[in-house]
Amino acid sequence: MTILVIAEHDQQSLKAATLNTVTAAQKIGGDIHVLVAGSNCNAAAEQAATLQGVTLVKVADAAHYQSQTAENLTALVIAHAAGYSHILAPATTFGKNLCPRIAALLDVAQISEITGVESPDTFVRPIYAGNALATVQSADKVKVITVRTTAFDAVDAGNTAKIEAIAAAADTAQSTLTHRELTKSERPELGAAKIIVSGGRGLGSGENYHTLLEPLADKLGAALGASRAAVDAGFVPNDYQVGQTGKIVAPQLYLAVGISGAIQHLAGMKESKVIVAINKDPDAPIFQVADYGLVGDLFDVVPQLAAAL
Amino acid sequence: MKILVPVKRVVDYNVKVRVKADGSGIDLANVKMSMNPFDEIAIEEAVRLKEAGIATEVIAVSCGVTACQETLRTAMAIGADRGILVETDVELQPLAVAKLLQALCAKEQPQLVICGKQAIDDDANQTGQMLAALQNWPQATFASKVLIANGKASVTREIDGGLETLEISLPAVVSTDLRLNEPRYATLPNIMKAKKKPLDTVKPADLGVDVTPRLTTLKVSEPPKRSAGIKVADVAELVNKLKNEAKVI
């Protein structure tokens, strides 16, 4: 068995999600190859070669991999897919965009967002916003899988795998990136943060969200998140969203402020180690999953908390 | 330009699902079913493109049991012109649905397929991308803005950490994210009108598609329950607990 892990990276370094995906590959067992496709992406390839368990890093370096479009990456993976029993990518917007396209061309099912590996052909994945766990077995010759990164630890470095250049596939020219705007923030990335301060509709406005939660997040060195209600109300951009249709997070500490706790939100954060809920409604469902609940007016409590830290 | 919009009948998003005691699946008896919310956004976007004079016809497609007709009627009440039901009792997985849609694309020749990014039952997030691959069309997933001009689509996508805009040639597949639009409520006159709109029914075999599932679900179980903790009286107690009991700050 040989597993191909498709690296998510920014040319310079691997995204943290790639490290979790390699751990999932280790659980399946077998040789692990990492594909780094990019433009001037040697630094990312060199980092991939340090990951434990990786036996070979394949690098495809071409200008048309700069923007990481699904069309071009799929053509590349299909051209090099022979011999692989499993193809893995993180279940991030990168992997979710890419992997079904690969699976369809290989005429195999994709197994989405696995949280557990039972055997090389059997995997556990959440369905219904994590309200149920399905154990599924694939009969396909190649298993194309996306990996829920919070379910697997990051792999350690310290390896020196071989790096091999591979031929790029032709540019499909079907899709052109015209603009990319990444939220600039000094804060940790939501997916990788140890502490997350998350706000909901209870904050009342975008202004309140920022003036109340930012000082608290600064004190804790925390990332900022939000419920779908807060995103829908326009308090913060969509990439803050934690939940079934947003990001799935599992930090050491998750502070839910003014979040009622709809099942779609709980789906995104209930694997957190410690959950704190601050809400004025003592019956809010968020308290059913919170380790520590504080019933009170967040406009009083949050500044007090920031001051007490 | 024709737009094809696949719509899925799923357990309503307000329903808290229960796992069957024998672990064979989810208990769907007497559970409220609705259109997948992302598909509603897809229909709304297609109808808006028609209202803007860009699209000429919006065709809703649903694959599954006979009751999916209701989902198609809902789509037509929002503004789809007609519906196609691909009727089968077989459990349909994303690859099978993508192949059914591929066959319908060959027949209907749409310039654009707009689909929901994921269904809230299996949370797979696959069908649109798979259809794009089978058609060798470009794709723009997780769209928050769609502009169509000169045979191209400019699509703003929700990606981790921000937004990006892709320019893709048509025909293409676009999948919807939550912020693309806010679907309208179907009015009573439109619900009545929808009942008279054409609805064709075909079988997977008519389309020459083998829909046999590729994945076998061995069991479905409840996730480990998280029990409620304690209520603290004030901020001082909270800080104390986080520092000394949970040791997370």
Side-chain angles (χ1 to χ4, degrees), chain B residues 115-155:
Chain B
C115 54
K117 76 166 180 180
Q118 80 190 60
I120 60 166
D121 51 2
D122 61 12
D123 284 330
N125 194 335
Q126 300 176 12
T127 306
Q129 296 89 312
M130 286 183 155
L131 173 64
L134 296 175
Q135 292 285 86
N136 192 26
W137 288 355
Q139 68 186 47
T141 51
F142 326 141
S144 63
K145 193 175 173 192
V146 178
L147 296 170
I148 309 274
N150 308 320
K152 289 186 175 218
S154 174
V155 180

Side-chain angles (χ1 to χ4, degrees), chain A residues 265-284:
Chain A
H265 184 73
L266 302 186
M269 46 65 84
K270 66 180 180 179
E271 302 302 319
S272 305
K273 184 161 174 267
V274 174
I275 297 173
V276 171
I278 298 170
N279 203 301
K280 67 177 176 199
D281 175 8
D283 298 322

Side-chain angles (χ1 to χ4, degrees), chain A residues 8 67 69-71 92-94 96-98 100-101 103-105 107-112 122 125-140 174-183 195 220 228 231-232 236-239 241 244-247 252-253 263-264 270-276 278 282 287-295 301 304-305 308-309, chain B residues 11 13-17 19 26 28 37-38 41 93 95 99 117-127 129-134 136-142 152 154 157-169 177-179 182 214-224 226-236 238-239 241-243 245-249:
Chain A
E8 180 174 358
S67 51
T69 60
E71 293 81 358
T92 53
T93 52
F94 166 81
K96 290 173 178 176
N97 185 44
L98 173 61
R101 203 167 167 108
L105 293 186
D107 194 26
V108 301
Q110 178 187 290
I111 307 142
S112 294
T122 305
R125 57 177 305 264
I127 54 175
Y128 288 92
N131 286 302
L133 297 174
T135 305
V136 295
Q137 187 171 38
S138 165
D140 286 321
Q174 287 178 306
S175 171
T176 313
L177 177 70
T178 55
H179 186 69
R180 185 177 282 168
E181 196 177 307
L182 298 179
T183 309
I195 302 180
L220 291 165
R228 180 183 160 185
V231 172
D232 279 351
V236 286
N238 189 56
D239 57 302
Q241 192 197 146
Q244 180 185 18
T245 60
K247 290 202 178 59
Q252 294 288 306
L253 173 60
I263 51 173
Q264 290 83 3
K270 66 180 180 179
E271 302 302 319
S272 305
K273 184 161 174 267
V274 174
I275 297 173
V276 171
I278 298 170
F287 288 121
Q288 290 164 21
V289 299
D291 299 281
Y292 303 111
L294 181 48
V295 179
V301 171
Q304 281 178 35
L305 181 57
L309 291 169
Chain B
V11 171
Y13 82 102
N14 282 314
V15 172
K16 173 117 174 62
V17 297
V19 174
I26 300 292
L28 296 178
F38 289 102
I41 295 172
Q93 294 179 351
L95 182 61
K99 287 180 178 179
K117 76 166 180 180
Q118 80 190 60
I120 60 166
D121 51 2
D122 61 12
D123 284 330
N125 194 335
Q126 300 176 12
T127 306
Q129 296 89 312
M130 286 183 155
L131 173 64
L134 296 175
N136 192 26
W137 288 355
Q139 68 186 47
T141 51
F142 326 141
K152 289 186 175 218
S154 174
R157 307 179 55 229
E158 307 266 10
I159 56 169
D160 292 333
L163 295 170
E164 71 173 26
T165 305
L166 291 178
E167 192 173 84
I168 53 174
S169 50
D177 216 318
L178 284 172
R179 293 198 304 173
E182 215 166 292
R214 301 296 189 85
L215 300 178
T216 313
T217 301
L218 302 180
K219 69 167 183 199
V220 174
S221 56
E222 293 253 5
R226 205 181 166 107
S227 48
I230 55 161
K231 294 257 168 68
V232 293
D234 54 25
V235 166
L238 177 62
V239 172
K241 292 278 188 197
L242 291 177
K243 276 193 176 143
E245 193 175 272
K247 297 189 170 68
V248 286
I249 57 170

Side-chain angles (χ1 to χ4, degrees), chain B residues 28-45:
Chain B
L28 296 178
N30 302 317
V31 166
K32 185 183 177 201
M33 306 294 282
S34 297
M35 188 191 297
N36 179 43
F38 289 102
D39 302 350
E40 254 183 90
I41 295 172
I43 284 282
E44 174 68 32
E45 193 66 16

